[in-house]
Amino acid sequence: METELLDYLRNLRLREGVMTYKRKEWQIRTFFKWLEKQGRHYSEVKQDDVGLFLSGLVCSRSARQQIAQVIRDFYEFHKIEENPAAGIGFKRDDSRKRPGVPGRSTVDAIITTLNSKDDILSVRDLLTVELAYGSGPRRDELRKVNIDDIDFEEQTIRVTGKGNKTRIVPLTEEAIGIIRRYLAMRRGVSRGPLLVSFMGKRLSLTGVYTILKERAGIRPHLLRHACATHMLANGAGIRVIQEMLGHADLKATQVYTAIEKGQLKEVVNSKHPRRN
């Protein structure tokens, strides 16, 4: 079974970003370890077996859904005719609500607070927030940015996303100004990683998370979500947002840009010709 597993993981590495790959690798390997304990070959597995495996996991409903999807993907990759994970469903669970998208005032307050300090680490933190919110890159994409990836004349930045695919996204004027300010504080460095630690090394994924969650007070993905949602609210087309965020599937963009029902009602009441 190890050969088939490694074939799947090699293909997965080409399709997914670093963090997603690591998560899915751990999930499929957990399933294979369970099969080994049961003395079962993956080709013999039935839907009830997958259900039994999932029911024994100590995790949230959403985590079980993710694991079921990875198992389903594995069997689809190997073109198994009867996919044992294909028919598994999950009852809706409203006990945990998805964190709300931060409003513009919240993001502005974070930026104002960081902008009040003039030391190099605070400017770096400010730049991290401005890039995450202004251009919408993923955390791994953000840490990979090099100074050479910035086009100051065109005000764009090249990011490397999932599957090692690159795309060009716009930079805000504020980001351009902060980048110049940050690089001047680094004594005119013109090459190498853009965001670095106090030791001058490229930030790790944990480093980016720490800056945004602990120093700026917001999770990285919420800034990406806010970027898309606020652009949509300001009239940006969903295809534009899809290109900016680097989504291969438009459905992924629709999840990021979901409008709250209250906001939708407000828009209808104020804009529809049949409003009261």
Side-chain angles (χ1 to χ4, degrees):
M1 294 195 297
E2 186 68 16
T3 300
E4 290 84 355
L5 177 59
L6 292 177
D7 286 344
Y8 170 71
L9 290 175
R10 276 192 287 268
N11 179 267
L12 189 67
R13 187 183 289 275
L14 296 175
R15 294 186 282 124
E16 303 288 3
V18 175
M19 293 302 291
T20 302
Y21 170 78
K22 288 182 178 179
R23 171 177 62 79
K24 290 186 175 183
E25 179 191 22
W26 176 83
Q27 289 169 337
I28 194 65
R29 285 192 182 278
T30 300
F31 176 60
F32 268 72
K33 287 178 182 177
W34 182 83
L35 288 179
E36 187 176 349
K37 288 182 180 179
Q38 301 296 316
R40 304 288 299 279
H41 191 274
Y42 75 86
S43 61
E44 304 170 343
V45 171
K46 304 297 182 185
Q47 184 176 341
D48 288 345
D49 298 316
V50 178
L52 180 63
F53 163 71
L54 294 173
S55 66
L57 297 174
V58 182
C59 59
S60 66
R61 168 182 167 273
S62 61
R64 285 192 181 90
Q65 283 182 304
Q66 288 181 347
I67 295 170
Q69 179 57 54
V70 171
I71 296 172
R72 190 180 306 127
D73 186 48
F74 170 83
Y75 281 95
E76 287 177 355
F77 172 75
H78 284 292
K79 296 181 171 60
I80 304 299
E81 190 170 338
E82 293 186 13
N83 191 325
I88 294 179
F90 295 84
K91 292 181 180 179
R92 182 171 179 175
D93 180 11
D94 294 324
S95 61
R96 295 182 65 188
K97 293 184 178 179
R98 186 174 183 174
V101 180
R104 277 174 269 186
S105 60
T106 299
V107 179
D108 287 344
I110 291 171
I111 291 174
T112 299
T113 299
L114 291 174
N115 203 23
S116 64
K117 300 177 182 179
D118 199 37
D119 61 283
I120 188 169
L121 292 183
S122 295
V123 175
R124 179 206 61 190
D125 297 348
L126 173 64
L127 175 58
T128 305
V129 171
E130 185 64 48
L131 290 175
Y133 176 61
S135 301
R138 300 175 179 90
R139 182 166 39 134
D140 188 50
E141 295 172 344
L142 192 56
R143 64 172 291 275
K144 288 179 180 176
V145 171
N146 291 318
I147 298 171
D148 292 345
D149 294 325
I150 302 165
D151 188 325
F152 287 96
E153 290 188 7
E154 296 294 329
Q155 293 193 348
T156 60
I157 190 168
R158 181 174 63 247
V159 297
T160 303
K162 293 182 177 181
N164 216 31
K165 295 179 181 178
T166 61
R167 67 184 187 281
I168 305 297
V169 297
L171 286 170
T172 63
E173 290 186 6
E174 288 80 3
I176 288 290
I178 299 168
I179 290 171
R180 293 187 185 280
R181 178 179 163 195
Y182 178 55
L183 292 181
M185 297 177 80
R186 289 176 59 188
R187 299 184 179 180
V189 175
S190 59
R191 303 181 70 86
L194 176 64
L195 299 173
V196 297
S197 68
F198 70 96
M199 295 292 289
K201 303 293 184 181
R202 184 186 301 275
L203 285 179
S204 63
L205 284 168
T206 302
V208 176
Y209 185 88
T210 299
I211 287 172
L212 295 177
K213 181 64 173 69
E214 297 183 12
R215 293 172 70 92
I218 189 168
R219 289 196 293 108
H221 209 69
L222 282 181
L223 280 175
R224 177 172 161 87
H225 197 166
C227 170
T229 305
H230 297 171
M231 285 181 62
L232 183 70
N234 276 349
I238 195 167
R239 293 286 184 183
V240 173
I241 297 172
Q242 178 189 9
E243 180 68 23
M244 185 168 176
L245 297 185
H247 286 153
D249 190 340
L250 186 60
K251 290 181 181 178
T253 313
Q254 290 169 335
V255 171
Y256 279 101
T257 58
I259 302 178
E260 296 293 333
K261 290 182 180 179
Q263 182 183 353
L264 181 60
K265 182 178 179 181
E266 182 182 338
V267 171
V268 171
N269 287 338
S270 63
K271 302 296 184 182
H272 198 282
R274 295 292 292 172
R275 70 187 183 277
N276 292 330

